[in-house]
């Protein structure tokens, strides 16, 4: 059983490790709370502003967070600070690789962009995109990144920051997801549709072939870790 924990302050965001043994929350009272499956406090870290976005590695040993004062943090499971960086841009979303070695940050107002950092905090790459980040997700292996924006743009990147595919919804993208093996990606839009993409096993960049859209659907489907799409839903073909 998992017991509930109450805070004097709004919880903005939460994430859970792959095995469900460790959870992390970001709150309006500037706290990152790290909990075990029983709801016991493992660690905490006080940020300098509201914590709007968090991520956690598959084993629950590494945590990332983004706060309202334009800072990103990397923490261990006890809440000990490994490093922090002020980006001088609003932070919309963070994602952490399964092994905790890479952080992806969606940031920016006028010049919205993605940034990649390694575990030591060294920047790896920076890529500009159109519109504020509405959702961000990172697959396990191969590492592929999907991001959706408030202008309805959908981008899929490889681990080096190269664009593999772009698409456009009619309205804002609220959330995105990608299977652990990087084969299936999806973006949920306020236009009432879920945009889903089947990605090839090989490098899209090497083969020079864009991933094919699977379907253009008006109801939720479930995407599971091995890339299978399950659920009873009707589809109509996406215009390529």
């Amino acid at each position: 059983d998992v017991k509930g924990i109450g805070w004097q302050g709004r919880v903005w965001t939460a994430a859970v490790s792959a095995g469900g043994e460790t959870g992390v929350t970001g709150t309006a009272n500037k706290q990152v709370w790290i909990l075990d499956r029983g709801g016991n406090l493992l660690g905490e870290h006080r940020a300098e502003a509201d914590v709007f976005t968090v991520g956690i590695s598959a084993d629950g040993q590494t945590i990332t967070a983004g706060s309202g004062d334009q800072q990103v943090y990397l923490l261990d499971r006890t809440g000990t600070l490994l490093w922090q960086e002020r980006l001088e841009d609003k932070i919309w979303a963070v994602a952490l690789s399964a092994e905790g070695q890479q952080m992806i940050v969606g940031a920016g107002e006028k010049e919205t962009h993605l940034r990649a950092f390694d575990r030591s905090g060294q920047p790896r790459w920076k890529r500009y995109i159109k519109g504020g980040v509405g959702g961000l997700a990172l697959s396990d292996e191969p590492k592929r990144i999907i991001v959706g924006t408030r202008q309805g743009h959908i981008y899929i990147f490889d681990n080096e920051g190269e664009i593999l595919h772009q698409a456009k919804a009619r309205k804002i993208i609220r959330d995105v997801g990608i299977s652990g093996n990087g084969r299936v990606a999806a973006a949920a839009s306020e236009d009432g549709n879920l945009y889903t993409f089947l990605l090839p096993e090989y490098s899209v960049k090497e083969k020079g072939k864009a991933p094919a859209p699977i379907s253009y659907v008006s109801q939720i489907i479930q995407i599971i870790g091995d890339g299978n799409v399950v659920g009873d839903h009707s589809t109509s073909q996406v215009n390529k």
Side-chain angles (χ1 to χ4, degrees), residues 33-240:
W33 297 90
I34 305 160
L35 309 169
D36 68 14
R37 185 178 178 84
N40 301 300
L41 186 65
L42 298 173
E44 60 184 295
H45 182 80
R46 185 166 180 82
E48 297 175 24
D50 291 32
V51 179
F52 290 120
T53 178
V54 294
I56 189 168
S57 61
D59 62 6
Q61 296 297 317
T62 308
I63 287 92
T64 183
S67 62
D69 62 341
Q70 306 175 343
Q71 295 201 78
V72 291
Y73 305 82
L74 193 71
L75 313 169
D76 69 14
R77 193 169 184 249
T78 68
T80 301
L81 180 67
L82 302 177
W83 59 266
Q84 71 184 80
E85 181 79 17
R86 187 181 296 276
L87 300 187
E88 298 183 355
D89 251 320
K90 186 167 184 177
I91 298 167
W92 297 105
V94 294
L96 192 62
S97 63
E99 73 285 357
Q101 295 298 314
Q102 178 171 288
M103 180 199 297
I104 306 296
V105 181
E109 291 278 17
K110 294 181 180 179
E111 293 185 326
T112 309
H113 59 274
L114 292 185
R115 298 192 194 193
F117 296 89
D118 66 20
R119 186 177 176 82
S120 68
Q122 293 300 309
R124 295 189 61 241
W125 47 262
K126 179 179 180 180
R127 299 291 183 267
Y128 289 98
I129 56 178
K130 296 179 181 178
V133 176
L136 173 63
L138 175 64
S139 65
D140 297 338
E141 194 62 43
K143 288 183 175 60
R144 289 165 174 170
I145 301 144
I146 181 170
V147 58
T149 78
R150 287 171 169 79
Q151 291 184 10
H153 294 277
I154 303 164
Y155 301 86
I156 301 173
F157 293 88
D158 68 12
N159 196 39
E160 302 304 318
E162 298 295 329
I163 292 180
L164 304 179
H165 188 63
Q166 297 184 60
K168 180 71 166 64
R170 292 191 291 269
K171 291 185 179 181
I172 182 174
I173 300 297
R174 281 297 182 186
D175 202 5
V176 298
I178 189 166
S179 61
N181 64 7
R183 292 296 313 282
V184 179
S189 171
E190 280 193 357
D191 64 14
N193 294 292
L194 181 70
Y195 297 81
T196 59
F197 304 91
L198 178 62
L199 304 169
E201 293 182 23
Y202 53 75
S203 167
V204 178
K205 183 180 178 183
E206 290 177 3
K207 298 291 184 178
K209 182 179 180 181
I214 302 173
S215 61
Y216 189 63
V217 300
S218 298
Q219 50 190 326
I220 296 173
I221 61 176
Q222 180 184 359
I223 300 175
I224 59 179
D226 64 1
N228 293 325
V229 179
V230 299
D232 187 13
H233 57 276
S234 60
T235 66
S236 58
Q237 191 63 36
V238 178
N239 293 325
K240 296 184 179 180

Side-chain angles (χ1 to χ4, degrees), residues 7 11-15 23-27 31-35 51 54:
W7 289 273
V11 176
W12 291 118
T13 183
V24 57
T25 66
T27 73
Q31 293 289 132
V32 178
W33 297 90
I34 305 160
L35 309 169
V51 179
V54 294

